[in-house]
Amino acid sequence: FEATVDNIAALNTVLASEKAQAAAEVIVTTTMPNDSNTKEVVFTTVNNEQVVSLTFKDGLGTNKTINFKNDQESTQGPANLNIVAPSGTNLVFNNPMTHVVINGTSYDNISGTFSANTLVINKGVHVAKIDMKAGGLEIHGTVDNLTVSGTKQTVFVRSCENLNSSVYAVAKQYIAEGYVADDATNSIVKKDFVQDENGVWHVMNAKAYNEFAAAVNGGVTFEGKTVVLDEDIDFQNDTVAPIGNHTDN
């Protein structure tokens, strides 16, 4: 389902329409009024597999904030929300069941509550500040400042690339399970040495081997645990770290 509208009220009407509600994917382009009114996008969908892509064109006037929310607590909102908005826009989200992907060029502020499946800042996107209240976070673009008003139980940082030192310092405090900090590149990266649902640890490549070696050499005994080498590893002439340099591991 695709539509082009010329104001927020029309956008909300389209999103609530039967055609949009029934569609697996909704794509709407909105020409924004150049005024000081609050821009509020309301999702009424209960289709939790729906993908919604919204493009906001032209200026936002003196009020550069767009609020996104669900119409009531029982509404889940779309499963996936893709956003493109003019430079300098502030985006505020209260969509705890929605995976949000930010495209475009530059944003002043992005804040709110997202699903555990993550707020994604795509490559080429610059954000002056992000404030995470709840949800997951991936940064593939550039973020100048990151604050977290949630807790380690509600905020989960996943893949993040080449962060500045201040953002990296904050991100390291909220690393999601299955990810690790890479101090060499100021990045948060996915672990290669992983544990499956049965509690078995798997080594499937050189990076996973090095993670396993670092854990053992750091004092982790893996007593009572099973570690499986899933396939042959080609270290490509790199130095192979020995596993075990303590008497108790």
Side-chain angles (χ1 to χ4, degrees):
F1 177 83
E2 295 188 35
T4 299
V5 297
D6 59 7
N7 57 64
I8 290 292
L11 169 61
N12 288 328
T13 298
V14 166
L15 293 175
S17 68
E18 290 185 4
K19 288 185 177 180
Q21 292 288 303
E25 183 174 7
V26 176
I27 303 172
V28 184
T29 299
T30 304
T31 302
M32 300 297 294
N34 191 14
D35 58 31
S36 61
N37 295 330
T38 299
K39 286 81 176 173
E40 189 169 88
V41 178
V42 181
F43 296 108
T44 59
T45 180
V46 293
N47 179 358
N48 62 1
E49 296 183 356
Q50 189 176 69
V51 178
V52 175
S53 298
L54 302 179
T55 298
F56 299 90
K57 300 181 68 174
D58 299 330
L60 296 174
T62 56
N63 187 338
K64 296 182 180 297
T65 298
I66 306 175
N67 295 317
F68 300 85
K69 69 175 189 177
N70 301 334
D71 69 333
Q72 53 187 349
E73 290 185 4
S74 61
T75 299
Q76 295 187 21
N80 296 281
L81 175 61
N82 303 309
I83 297 293
V84 177
S87 295
T89 303
N90 303 311
L91 304 177
V92 180
F93 297 89
N94 186 19
N95 307 96
M97 301 298 290
T98 299
H99 171 76
V100 178
V101 178
I102 305 297
N103 296 293
T105 55
S106 180
Y107 298 83
D108 282 357
N109 189 293
I110 297 176
S111 64
T113 300
F114 310 87
S115 78
N117 290 332
T118 305
L119 162 68
V120 178
I121 309 300
N122 258 345
K123 288 185 177 180
V125 177
H126 171 259
V127 183
K129 181 179 179 180
I130 294 178
D131 179 30
M132 293 292 296
K133 296 180 180 179
L137 175 64
E138 290 186 12
I139 301 174
H140 305 291
T142 303
V143 174
D144 295 339
N145 185 274
L146 172 64
T147 60
V148 176
S149 51
T151 68
K152 292 182 179 180
Q153 287 72 44
T154 61
V155 174
F156 314 96
V157 177
R158 295 186 173 90
S159 298
C160 295
E161 303 161 6
N162 303 311
L163 304 175
N164 69 40
S165 57
S166 63
V167 171
Y168 182 57
V170 175
K172 287 175 67 173
Q173 301 177 50
Y174 299 91
I175 296 177
E177 184 177 353
Y179 291 79
V180 294
D182 180 2
D183 291 341
T185 61
N186 278 15
S187 301
I188 308 299
V189 298
K190 189 173 180 61
K191 284 183 179 179
D192 287 272
F193 178 48
V194 295
Q195 188 177 33
D196 66 22
E197 65 274 11
N198 297 316
V200 177
W201 290 89
H202 294 266
V203 176
M204 71 286 292
N205 55 36
K207 189 173 180 181
Y209 172 91
N210 288 333
E211 289 178 8
F212 175 44
V216 173
N217 296 337
V220 180
T221 66
F222 289 94
E223 182 178 359
K225 304 295 184 182
T226 300
V227 180
V228 176
L229 178 64
D230 290 330
E231 55 188 72
D232 293 341
I233 297 176
D234 182 1
F235 287 94
Q236 299 181 340
N237 298 320
D238 285 344
T239 301
V240 179
I243 298 179
N245 57 11
H246 292 267
T247 58
D248 60 349
N249 59 32

